[in-house]
Amino acid sequence: ITPDWGVPLISALLVIMAVLGWIAMRQQTPAPGGNPDLKIRWGVLGLVWETPRMLGFAFRAPDVLRPLLGVAWFWMLAAAVITVLPLFTRDILGADEGVVAVFQLIFTIGAALGAVICGSLAKTGDALRFSLIGAIMLTVFPLDIALYTLDRTPGEALISADVFLNDSSNWRILFDLAASAIGGGLFLVPLQAMAQRRAKEEMRGRLLAASGVLNGLGGTLGPLVLLVIGASALPLQAAYGFVALGSFAAALFIASRMLGRRKSRQ
């Protein structure tokens, strides 16, 4: 983004990816509506009216709401990490925007890799165990980033990406970030699939629309973590502690649900 040609290039890439996404979507098998007689309210007033109704549908379906809240939590922590990342890189690691780009690339590829791994391994059986593994990874590795960099003091000049990558003391941070992202993919995919599977066919579209609202809310609340850290005079590493703490709570909840299932089967 920093070179003169950066903005036009990124703008062109966004348009190209949008077109490719539309073409890929057109190759999918047509899915007829589960409730073809449903009347759609158009316009701003329709949006204002239907949004709380959709959320109401979700809250009246707790078996669907639980995985939807898990998905929203993922978008909240992802937004928190992405928001804190530039400041963390500059003020804690003493690195420039090139290192931020490397981190964002690792986070994106890692999350996609985790999703692919989950999709490949969870073809049969209960995929909720992958969400548990992902939640544990999102507890351990962000916490390690926070603890490992707690006493870090940046130099006077910001270092570039090649200097950062050549320093073996930074490889642990790269590994933790990649593992956290893979854990995020493992955590997300089973919950998304679970919500779609549990939703009644005639309500599925509206429940997934409610999921979009919850995800947007989570993505909005994520950057507020930075405001809380600033107001509380906490170190930037507290953001990763927040991710670890919330993920640990999610892991405990998922484990309790899995134990409850096992007991009911017995």
Side-chain angles (χ1 to χ4, degrees):
I1 197 68
T2 52
D4 294 337
W5 44 264
V7 173
L9 176 62
I10 290 176
S11 301
L13 287 173
L14 287 172
V15 174
I16 291 171
M17 291 305 298
V19 173
L20 291 176
W22 180 81
I23 293 174
M25 178 267 297
R26 298 294 299 174
Q27 308 308 310
Q28 299 299 315
T29 304
N35 189 358
D37 299 326
L38 181 67
K39 293 182 180 180
I40 299 177
R41 298 175 184 266
W42 300 100
V44 176
L45 292 178
L47 178 65
V48 173
W49 174 260
E50 289 296 335
T51 298
R53 288 189 70 227
M54 286 188 299
L55 291 174
F57 294 142
F59 279 91
R60 288 193 293 273
D63 57 332
V64 180
L65 179 64
R66 285 192 296 270
L68 292 186
L69 290 176
V71 173
W73 159 250
F74 171 81
W75 289 112
M76 181 177 176
L77 72 87
V81 169
I82 294 299
T83 303
V84 172
L85 205 52
L87 293 176
F88 176 80
T89 305
R90 184 192 67 191
D91 298 342
I92 303 300
L93 304 180
D96 63 12
E97 67 274 2
V99 178
V100 177
V102 172
F103 285 166
Q104 291 176 334
L105 182 64
I106 290 174
F107 190 83
T108 303
I109 294 176
L113 182 60
V116 171
I117 292 172
C118 182
S120 300
L121 298 180
K123 293 180 180 179
T124 59
D126 187 4
L128 192 58
R129 65 185 185 275
F130 292 103
S131 286
L132 177 59
I133 295 172
I136 294 173
M137 293 174 71
L138 286 169
T139 301
V140 173
F141 295 107
L143 184 60
D144 189 58
I145 292 177
L147 296 177
Y148 182 62
T149 61
L150 202 56
D151 297 327
R152 188 89 170 231
T153 54
E156 295 182 1
L158 298 180
I159 61 175
S160 60
D162 56 339
V163 175
F164 183 86
L165 294 174
N166 285 328
D167 187 350
S168 59
S169 65
N170 295 321
W171 295 354
R172 180 171 168 179
I173 300 173
L174 296 171
F175 175 80
D176 284 344
L177 186 63
S180 299
I182 292 172
L186 291 172
F187 176 78
L188 178 66
V189 171
L191 298 179
Q192 193 77 48
M194 188 185 303
Q196 295 185 43
R197 185 178 69 249
R198 290 179 175 181
K200 295 181 179 179
E201 185 178 2
E202 66 275 10
M203 295 294 298
R204 187 172 296 140
R206 282 173 283 182
L207 288 172
L208 294 182
S211 176
V213 175
L214 292 172
N215 294 344
L217 181 61
T220 302
L221 293 176
L224 295 181
V225 173
L226 190 58
L227 294 178
V228 174
I229 291 173
S232 306
L234 295 171
L236 281 172
Q237 290 92 333
Y240 295 96
F242 162 77
V243 171
L245 183 62
S247 300
F248 180 66
L252 290 179
F253 180 77
I254 293 171
S256 67
R257 297 294 299 176
M258 293 178 67
L259 288 174
R261 285 184 181 182
R262 181 174 297 179
K263 289 181 179 179
S264 66
R265 289 170 184 168
Q266 292 175 348

